[in-house]
């Protein structure tokens, strides 16, 4: 079965600093989702990547998909306290699968 | 537009009781998914439904758990005879179609079994 490993597990950054979160798959990636979750709350959709080399940006967050490396990265530029939370990557369990397998998350804290 | 709506947000049940969790998908979405998040564990897929059909229930425990998505009304995740190990956050998600479409999650229903 597919496994997604996220690194780092937790991250503390000073406000204004850039940061990167990685998500590495044990198998070929067929679609990769990024979500943000605050403790005790639901998941907020950030981005979905489907093709190798694809890169998407929204406000100060950029996500890339490296299909060959079976990896995706999420980059936040000039972090703000509002970026704090748990970032989750999820990927389809296989070609044509409807199930998303999720990583265990990266907890981000931003110090003002 | 309203997002994926789940209720109740928090539910406390005694061991042996039944828990019913409801999910109304986003407007225009006919595909519903249920996931479970156990303490200190990641999100795990449970079941995928379309209107009146269960498409994939491979992540559902074999006993006590059932799900439905009727023609009218919300999707229901039903847990019979709850045990302490059922305590978790249950998330519903929806999409306009299946594979490859944006999947939106609800706020979750937190079940505590005492």
């Amino acid at each position: 079965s597919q496994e997604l490993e996220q690194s780092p597990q937790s991250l503390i950054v000073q406000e204004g600093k850039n940061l990167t979160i990685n998500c590495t798959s044990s198998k070929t990636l067929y679609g990769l989702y990024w979500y943000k979750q605050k403790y005790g709350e639901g998941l907020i959709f950030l981005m979905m990547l489907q093709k190798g080399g694809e890169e998407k940006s929204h406000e100060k967050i950029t996500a890339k998909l490296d299909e060959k490396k079976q990896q995706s990265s999420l980059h936040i530029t000039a972090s703000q306290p509002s970026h704090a939370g748990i970032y989750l990557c999820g990927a389809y369990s296989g070609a044509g699968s409807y199930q998303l397998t999720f990583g265990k998350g990266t907890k981000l804290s931003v110090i003002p | 537009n309203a997002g994926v709506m789940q209720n109740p947000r928090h539910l406390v049940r005694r061991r042996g009781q039944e828990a019913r969790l409801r999910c109304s998908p986003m407007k225009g979405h006919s595909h519903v998914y249920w996931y479970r998040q156990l303490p200190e564990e990641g999100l795990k897929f449970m079941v995928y439904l379309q209107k009146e059909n269960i498409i994939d229930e491979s992540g559902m425990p074999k006993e006590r758990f059932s799900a439905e998505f009727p023609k009218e009304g919300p999707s229901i995740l039903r847990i019979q005879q709850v045990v302490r190990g059922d305590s978790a956050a249950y998330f519903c998600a929806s999409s306009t179609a299946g594979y490859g479409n944006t999947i939106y999650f609800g706020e979750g229903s937190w079940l505590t079994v005492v």
Side-chain angles (χ1 to χ4, degrees), chain A:
Chain A
S1 61
Q2 181 183 46
E3 291 185 0
L4 294 178
E5 184 173 336
Q6 289 187 234
S7 61
Q9 290 185 346
S10 64
L11 192 55
I12 301 173
V13 299
Q14 198 78 35
E15 183 177 358
K17 296 293 185 185
N18 302 336
L19 64 106
T20 299
I21 298 169
N22 292 305
C23 175
T24 304
S25 173
S26 60
K27 294 187 176 182
T28 301
L29 283 168
Y30 298 98
L32 194 289
Y33 291 78
W34 283 101
Y35 292 90
K36 177 185 171 186
Q37 183 181 25
K38 292 208 166 183
Y39 183 76
E41 298 181 12
L43 278 69
I44 299 168
F45 172 77
L46 296 176
M47 271 168 278
M48 178 179 70
L49 305 165
Q50 288 189 288
K51 299 176 185 177
E54 189 173 9
E55 180 175 322
K56 288 186 176 178
S57 294
H58 178 66
E59 297 180 343
K60 295 184 178 180
I61 301 176
T62 300
K64 300 179 185 179
L65 180 61
D66 186 332
E67 215 168 49
K68 288 183 181 178
K69 290 185 179 179
Q70 298 177 179
Q71 185 179 66
S72 177
S73 61
L74 187 80
H75 184 77
I76 298 177
T77 304
S79 58
Q80 301 169 352
S82 60
H83 288 128
I86 300 171
Y87 289 82
L88 295 165
C89 65
Y92 288 111
S93 300
S97 171
Y98 301 106
Q99 303 182 22
L100 288 180
T101 297
F102 282 89
K104 292 192 174 181
T106 294
K107 183 178 178 182
L108 172 64
S109 301
V110 180
I111 303 171

Side-chain angles (χ1 to χ4, degrees), chain B residues 2-76:
Chain B
V4 180
M5 305 299 290
Q6 290 189 245
N7 69 81
R9 290 292 316 279
H10 298 276
L11 182 64
V12 178
R13 284 287 178 266
R14 295 186 184 278
R15 281 176 291 173
Q17 291 184 320
E18 178 179 289
R20 285 197 181 209
L21 310 178
R22 289 176 290 278
C23 169
S24 295
M26 284 182 71
K27 188 176 181 179
H29 288 194
S30 59
H31 297 245
V32 165
Y33 315 79
W34 285 93
Y35 284 77
R36 178 164 66 172
Q37 189 173 43
L38 291 164
E40 307 304 323
E41 292 189 23
L43 275 167
K44 303 291 184 186
F45 169 82
M46 297 182 76
V47 61
Y48 163 47
L49 311 102
Q50 294 178 28
K51 282 287 186 181
E52 299 185 277
N53 289 307
I54 296 174
I55 307 302
D56 181 355
E57 57 180 348
S58 58
M60 289 273 274
K62 298 298 179 190
E63 298 177 350
R64 303 187 296 107
F65 285 72
S66 62
E68 62 177 8
F69 189 17
K71 187 176 179 181
E72 301 290 337
S75 174
I76 307 284

Side-chain angles (χ1 to χ4, degrees), chain B residues 79-93:
Chain B
I79 311 172
Q80 295 178 289
Q81 299 175 332
V82 296
V83 300
R84 288 226 171 113
D86 296 334
S87 295
Y90 292 84
F91 290 95
C92 173

